[in-house]
Amino acid sequence: MEKLQAEDARYLKRKVKGGSLDVHPTEKALIVQYELEATILGEMGDPMVGERKECQKIIRLKSLNANTDIATLARKVVEECRLIHPSKLPEVEQLLFYLLNRKKSDKREKHPPRDLAPFEGMELDEEANINRIDHYVELLYEDIPEKVRGATLILHLARNPDNLEELLQNETALGALARVLREDWKQSVDLATTIIYVFFCFSSFSQFHGQVTHYKIGALCMNIIEHELKRYDLWQDELQKKANQNVKKEHEKAFKKYQGLLIKQEQLLQVALHLLLNLAEDTRTELKMRNKNIVHTLVKTLDREDEELLVLVVSFLKKLSIFLENKNDMAETYAVEKLARLLPCKHEDLLNTTLRLHLINKLRSLGLNTSLSDESQRQLCMCILYHISVDDRFKSMFAYTDCIPQLMKMLFDCGESPMDPELISFCINLAANKRNAQVICEGNGLKMLMKRGLKLKDVLTMKMIRNVSQHDGPTKNLFIDYVGDLAAQTGVQEREEYVIECLGTLANLTIPDLDWELVLKEYNLVPFLKDHLKPGSAEDDLILEVVIMIGTVSMDDSCAAMMAKSGIISALIELLNSQQEDDEFVCQIVYVFYQMVFHQATRDVIIKDTQAPAYLIDLMHDKNAEIRKVCDNTLDIIAEYDEEWGRKIQSEKFRWHNSQWLEMVDNRAMGDDGEPFMYGDDGEPFMHNGDILERPDLFYSADGIIPADSTISTEFFIGYQNGDMGQAGGFPGAGAVSTVLHYPRRPSTAILEL
C-alpha cells in the first residue's frame, strides 16, 4: 500500500467526481481512489471518529476485461485495502465498472494538445510508463543520445493530458529538462525540439503557464528561434556559393544535406513558436515578446515554404495585429508584401488564416480578387475587401482588377432573393469612386441595378445607385432614362429610407439637357417638396434631400419661378431658422438662394419680399469656410442688382474688415486713456487737433491709388482686403458672379458591423 500526499488525493477525488479520471490505454494498472474517516476501534467494536483524511492506493490488476467478475474483484480490493470500510463496497464496484468502460473507450487514438502533429524522431521501441519517471530523469544526466531518449519518453507521457498534473509535481524532472535545454540545445536539434515539445504540452493549458514561465522557457525559445534563423541565412549563403562554383555534384550533395537540416529546423521552429503563441495569451507576456522583436522574427519566417509552419506564423501575426504598435511593426517589416505571395494558395488552413490577417491600413486587394471565386473563402474575403474599400485611397485600385465584374455577377445571381450584407456594402463603397462607377455601369449594369432596386424597393441597391449618380461624366447621362421612375417613387407611400435614396439620386442629376419643369409638373413634385420643408414633417435626412433637390431644379429658370410662386422661399427661411446650428442644412439652403438669385423672377422675390439677404449677411462671417464662401458669392450677386442692399453689404464688409481699427477709435472717444503710441512724449496727440485722414501726405500716392481729393471710400478697403485692386470696373468681388458653384454631396458609405 502506498500513501500519497493529501493534495494529490484531493486532485484525484475531483477527477473521479467530475467523471474525468483517465487511464492511459497502454497501462495495465488501475487507480482506485477513496475517501475515509480514520477510526479507532474500541473493545466493543464501536468506531470513534477521529480526524478526516483523504488517501489513495494504487492496486495493480493483471487483467481487467469484459469477462472479469466486477463484484468479486471489488470484494478483493476491499479486503486488500483495510482502510476501506466494507460499507464502501458498492462504490468500489461502481468505480471498477466505470474504469472498465472508460478503458475501452480510451483505445481510440489520442491527439496532442492544440493538434501539434508528431514529428520524426519521436518513435520509441518501448512504452512510456509514468511509474518509471525517475529512470527517465536519470537518462537526462547521460550523453546526448541518452538525453534525447529520456526526453522523448517524458514527452510521450506529457502528450497524455492526464499525466500533466503528476509531472508538474515532479520538480526534479522539470528542473532537469529546463537545465538540459538551457545547456545543450545547440548540440542537438532533436534534443531541443523534444524538450520544448514537453513544455509545449504544459503551455496548452492556461493554468500551467506560470510553471512554464518559472523555468524561463519562453525567453529561451526566443533565443533559440533567433539563432536558428541566423543559421538558415548561413545555409542559404553556403548553397549560393556552391551554385556559383558550377560544381553540380557538390551542389547536389550540399542541397540534399540542407534539406535534411531544414526539416529538423522547421520542426524546432514550429514547436517553439507554438509554445510562444500559447504563452502570448497573457498580454504582459506578449509585451515582453514584442520587446524582443517577435514581429520581426515572425515576418522573417514568412519566407519559408513549409505550409504548417506558415499557418502557425500567420496565426501568431493575426493575434499580434490586434494592437496598433504590432501592426505598425508589421508595416515597417513589409509583412503585407510577404503575405501577398500566399494568396491564393491550395492549403485551405493557410489561405483562411492569411485572409483573417487583415491589416486594414496597408493590405491591398492584390491576390484577394481571385479568392472571391472560392466559395469556401468568399465571405471572409468579402469582409476584408469591404474594410479596404472604406478607405478612399484604395477604392480606385479595384477598377483595375476583375473584382467589380465578379461582384456584379454575384449581385445578379441573387435574383430577387436577399443579398449578403457584406456583398452589397462592399459594392456601395466601391460605387463612391468615379472609375469604379464607370465599370459598374458597363453593359447592362445600371439597367439591372435599377430593375432590382425599383422592383424590390431595395434600399441598399438604391444607395449604391445613388453613389453612382453623383459622378460627372458619361455615367450621369445614363440616368436620363430613369428620371421618371425615380420621381414616381416620391408620390406614393414608401418607406422613408427608400424615398431618401430615390430623391438623393434625382438631386445628383445636374444634367443641362434634362427638362426639370416637365418632371415637376408631371409628377406633381412641388407640393411634395414644400410639404417636406416644414420642420418636423419628416426625418432630417429626408428634409435635407428635399433642400438639395430644390437646389438642383433651381438651376432651371422656369423651375425657379415655380418654386417662388409656391412659397418655397419662405419655407426655406423658416427651415434655416430652425436648423441654424446644422452646417450642412445651412450650406445647402444658402446654395439654393445662390441658384435662385441668378434668375430675375426669383431674385426679385428674394431681395424685395424676404429677409434672405439679411440672413446671408449674418452668415457672411460663419466659422464654416464653405458657408462663408457661398454667402459671399450670393451677396455679390445681390449687391450688383440692388443698390440699397449693395451699400449695406459693402458697409458690413468694411465694418468687419476694419473692426479692430474701429474698436480702437471707439475706445479713444470714450476716454482719455487711449493707446500710448498715439501720443507724443508731452502727452499731446501727434496730429494735435487735426484729423489723420486729412493728411494725404501720410498715404501712398503712387499709381493713383489715392484720389486727388484724398478721399477713401469703403470700396477701397474692401478691394484692398480682397486683393481685387487693379480690377477694371465693378465692385470688388463682382467677377465671381459668373462662377457656377456646385457643392458635391458626401457619398453614401456602407457601415457594416462584422
Side-chain angles (χ1 to χ4, degrees):
M1 181 174 60
E2 180 183 353
K3 185 176 180 180
L4 300 184
Q5 294 181 356
E7 58 182 279
D8 298 328
R10 282 195 296 273
Y11 163 69
L12 288 172
K13 175 190 172 187
R14 288 195 300 271
K15 296 189 74 176
V16 171
K17 286 190 173 181
S20 62
L21 182 60
D22 202 358
V23 179
H24 197 281
T26 61
E27 291 184 359
K28 295 182 180 179
L30 293 177
I31 301 173
V32 177
Q33 186 275 338
Y34 54 88
E35 179 182 355
L36 69 143
E37 292 178 349
T39 61
I40 302 177
L41 299 178
E43 294 181 358
M44 301 300 294
D46 297 328
M48 293 183 296
V49 179
E51 62 176 303
R52 187 180 183 88
K53 294 184 178 180
E54 295 174 335
C55 303
Q56 172 189 346
K57 179 176 181 177
I58 299 177
I59 301 176
R60 308 292 175 181
L61 302 175
K62 297 299 182 182
S63 64
L64 181 63
N65 51 50
N67 299 323
T68 302
D69 186 346
I70 298 296
T72 302
L73 182 60
R75 285 194 299 272
K76 185 177 180 181
V77 169
V78 173
E79 291 173 0
E80 291 188 5
C81 186
R82 298 182 61 184
L83 291 176
I84 301 179
H85 195 273
S87 63
K88 301 288 185 179
L89 180 61
E91 295 183 20
V92 175
E93 289 185 19
Q94 183 181 5
L95 179 59
L96 289 173
F97 179 76
Y98 167 77
L99 292 176
L100 174 62
N101 294 330
R102 181 61 180 269
K103 184 175 180 181
K104 292 179 180 178
S105 64
D106 280 341
K107 290 182 179 179
R108 65 182 184 276
E109 181 183 358
K110 286 193 173 207
H111 294 282
R114 301 284 180 93
D115 293 329
L116 185 57
F119 51 84
E120 183 181 355
M122 287 180 57
E123 302 83 3
L124 286 173
D125 54 1
E126 65 174 291
E127 293 181 355
N129 191 321
I130 190 66
N131 297 304
R132 302 193 62 197
I133 184 65
D134 292 338
H135 172 65
Y136 304 153
V137 173
E138 290 176 1
L139 294 176
L140 298 177
Y141 293 90
E142 304 295 334
D143 295 333
I144 294 297
E146 293 302 314
K147 288 180 179 178
V148 173
R149 181 176 180 81
T152 305
L153 286 164
I154 296 175
L155 172 59
H156 276 255
L157 295 175
R159 280 168 58 81
N160 180 5
D162 294 318
N163 292 327
L164 292 178
E165 280 277 6
E166 190 165 348
L167 287 173
L168 197 64
Q169 300 301 324
N170 196 327
E171 296 183 2
T172 303
L174 295 183
L177 287 170
R179 178 188 58 79
V180 172
L181 178 62
R182 188 165 49 252
E183 295 176 357
D184 298 332
W185 65 266
K186 289 185 179 180
Q187 299 184 37
S188 172
V189 174
D190 290 337
L191 179 61
T193 304
T194 305
I195 296 178
I196 293 175
Y197 203 149
V198 173
F199 285 102
F200 160 76
C201 294
F202 286 99
S203 72
S204 297
F205 301 93
S206 300
Q207 62 266 35
F208 299 146
H209 285 185
Q211 285 74 12
V212 177
T213 55
H214 170 71
Y215 293 103
K216 302 186 184 303
I217 302 301
L220 191 54
C221 284
M222 291 288 296
N223 294 336
I224 292 173
I225 293 171
E226 184 179 356
H227 176 79
E228 292 299 324
L229 292 179
K230 291 179 180 178
R231 288 181 63 190
Y232 177 77
D233 293 337
L234 292 176
W235 294 345
Q236 294 285 341
D237 294 340
E238 188 66 24
L239 274 179
Q240 188 63 39
K241 291 178 182 178
K242 297 286 185 182
N244 294 337
Q245 292 175 1
N246 294 324
V247 182
K248 184 177 180 181
K249 194 171 183 179
E250 289 187 9
H251 179 265
E252 290 179 353
K253 183 179 178 180
F255 184 72
K256 188 175 181 180
K257 180 181 178 182
Y258 161 77
Q259 286 183 316
L261 294 172
L262 187 62
I263 291 174
K264 288 183 177 294
Q265 186 187 70
E266 289 182 341
Q267 290 172 351
L268 174 58
L269 291 176
Q270 187 174 350
V271 69
L273 288 172
H274 218 144
L275 182 145
L276 292 175
L277 177 58
N278 290 345
L279 295 181
E281 291 178 1
D282 187 341
T283 54
R284 293 171 298 179
T285 304
E286 182 179 320
L287 180 60
K288 293 179 182 178
M289 295 181 188
R290 181 181 180 273
N291 293 337
K292 289 181 173 290
N293 293 323
I294 184 65
V295 174
H296 178 79
T297 300
L298 292 170
V299 173
K300 193 173 182 180
T301 314
L302 286 174
D303 296 329
R304 302 300 183 99
E305 299 296 332
D306 184 86
E307 291 179 337
E308 295 299 329
L309 177 60
L310 289 173
V311 170
L312 175 61
V313 171
V314 177
S315 299
F316 208 152
L317 287 171
K318 181 173 75 72
K319 182 188 184 307
L320 295 173
S321 66
I322 296 173
F323 295 98
L324 179 62
E325 295 81 3
N326 293 332
K327 202 159 60 171
N328 292 338
D329 289 346
M330 294 178 202
E332 293 174 1
T333 53
Y334 303 101
V336 176
E337 287 73 10
K338 291 190 176 184
L339 287 169
R341 75 178 185 89
L342 305 179
L343 298 173
C345 68
K346 296 181 180 180
H347 194 285
E348 185 174 349
D349 289 339
L350 179 57
L351 177 60
N352 185 278
T353 308
T354 304
L355 289 176
R356 289 184 182 277
L357 178 56
H358 48 88
L359 306 177
I360 299 174
N361 63 333
K362 282 289 185 181
L363 197 60
R364 303 296 193 265
S365 59
L366 179 63
L368 292 174
N369 301 320
T370 54
S371 300
L372 288 174
S373 57
D374 184 355
E375 292 187 3
S376 63
Q377 305 293 339
R378 179 176 296 170
Q379 184 177 14
L380 176 59
C381 185
M382 195 79 69
C383 292
I384 298 174
L385 291 173
Y386 160 78
H387 280 296
I388 298 172
S389 69
V390 173
D391 195 322
D392 290 336
R393 296 173 298 169
F394 301 148
K395 283 185 174 71
S396 60
M397 295 182 179
F398 292 93
Y400 305 99
T401 68
D402 62 343
C403 181
I404 295 179
Q406 289 188 59
L407 294 175
M408 295 300 291
K409 184 178 184 301
M410 293 178 197
L411 284 176
F412 300 149
D413 288 345
C414 291
E416 296 185 4
S417 59
M419 291 179 291
D420 293 335
E422 297 87 1
L423 172 61
I424 187 60
S425 300
F426 182 28
C427 292
I428 290 171
N429 290 349
L430 291 183
N433 177 266
K434 184 175 182 179
R435 178 60 187 136
N436 291 340
Q438 294 173 352
V439 178
I440 290 172
C441 293
E442 287 179 356
N444 293 323
L446 180 59
K447 181 179 179 181
M448 298 298 293
L449 287 174
M450 291 295 303
K451 182 178 179 180
R452 177 184 174 86
L454 295 173
K455 183 178 181 179
L456 303 179
K457 312 297 182 183
D458 191 335
V459 176
L460 294 179
T461 302
M462 293 307 303
K463 189 180 291 289
M464 179 181 175
I465 293 171
R466 174 181 168 186
N467 276 0
V468 172
S469 68
Q470 70 179 331
H471 305 294
D472 294 326
T475 55
K476 187 167 287 191
N477 293 325
L478 297 175
F479 283 86
I480 292 180
D481 297 335
Y482 306 105
V483 171
D485 295 325
L486 292 169
Q489 307 307 309
T490 61
V492 293
Q493 296 298 323
E494 298 289 353
R495 287 181 300 165
E496 195 168 270
E497 58 268 26
Y498 176 71
V499 176
I500 288 174
E501 303 305 330
C502 294
L503 198 62
T505 304
L506 282 174
N508 285 335
L509 304 183
T510 52
I511 305 173
D513 298 334
L514 184 57
D515 190 348
W516 279 114
E517 182 183 13
L518 180 62
V519 175
L520 293 177
K521 290 180 178 179
E522 184 171 348
Y523 295 96
N524 197 29
L525 290 182
V526 175
F528 170 84
L529 297 175
K530 183 178 179 181
D531 292 341
H532 285 80
L533 282 178
K534 299 176 182 177
S537 61
E539 292 292 333
D540 285 351
D541 289 343
L542 179 57
I543 298 176
L544 181 61
E545 294 302 328
V546 169
V547 174
I548 297 170
M549 180 67 181
I550 294 172
T552 299
V553 301
S554 295
M555 297 172 63
D556 183 90
D557 184 75
S558 55
C559 291
M562 291 175 62
M563 298 293 170
K565 292 178 182 178
S566 67
I568 278 182
I569 296 177
S570 299
L572 286 171
I573 293 176
E574 182 182 353
L575 181 62
L576 181 62
N577 281 328
S578 64
Q579 297 287 352
Q580 56 186 333
E581 299 299 327
D582 191 318
D583 284 357
E584 185 148 13
F585 263 104
V586 173
C587 190
Q588 295 296 345
I589 292 173
V590 174
Y591 178 68
V592 173
F593 293 154
Y594 172 79
Q595 290 289 356
M596 288 185 170
V597 295
F598 276 105
H599 313 296
Q600 179 66 41
T602 51
R603 182 169 57 244
D604 291 342
V605 173
I606 289 175
I607 294 175
K608 298 178 181 179
D609 299 339
T610 72
Q611 290 298 313
Y615 282 101
L616 294 174
I617 289 176
D618 289 340
L619 293 170
M620 189 167 55
H621 313 306
D622 192 90
K623 61 182 180 181
N624 187 296
E626 290 298 324
I627 294 177
R628 293 199 304 271
K629 182 179 178 181
V630 69
C631 277
D632 285 343
N633 286 280
T634 307
L635 289 171
D636 287 346
I637 299 174
I638 292 174
E640 184 178 7
Y641 287 96
D642 188 281
E643 293 183 1
E644 182 179 353
W645 276 112
R647 287 193 297 271
K648 292 180 181 179
I649 293 168
Q650 291 177 18
S651 176
E652 173 60 22
K653 288 185 176 182
F654 173 78
R655 187 197 65 79
W656 175 257
H657 288 301
N658 299 277
S659 58
Q660 292 181 344
W661 169 260
L662 294 176
E663 182 180 357
M664 183 179 65
V665 172
D666 290 341
N667 290 338
R668 175 69 183 90
M670 293 173 62
D672 296 329
D673 50 346
E675 297 293 337
F677 65 84
M678 298 181 63
Y679 302 88
D681 295 335
D682 56 357
E684 291 293 326
F686 282 117
M687 299 301 300
H688 302 284
N689 295 324
D691 190 342
I692 191 171
L693 298 180
E694 296 177 359
R695 292 288 305 275
D697 55 301
L698 298 179
F699 293 86
Y700 294 104
S701 58
D703 301 324
I705 293 179
I706 302 300
D709 58 359
S710 302
T711 59
I712 303 175
S713 67
T714 56
E715 287 86 345
F716 168 80
F717 285 103
I718 296 171
Y720 185 77
Q721 293 283 351
N722 293 339
D724 294 332
M725 300 304 298
Q727 292 185 359
F731 57 87
V737 173
S738 60
T739 303
V740 179
L741 295 179
H742 177 61
Y743 292 90
R745 306 271 312 293
R746 292 196 303 268
S748 299
T749 302
I751 305 300
L752 180 63
E753 294 292 341
L754 296 179

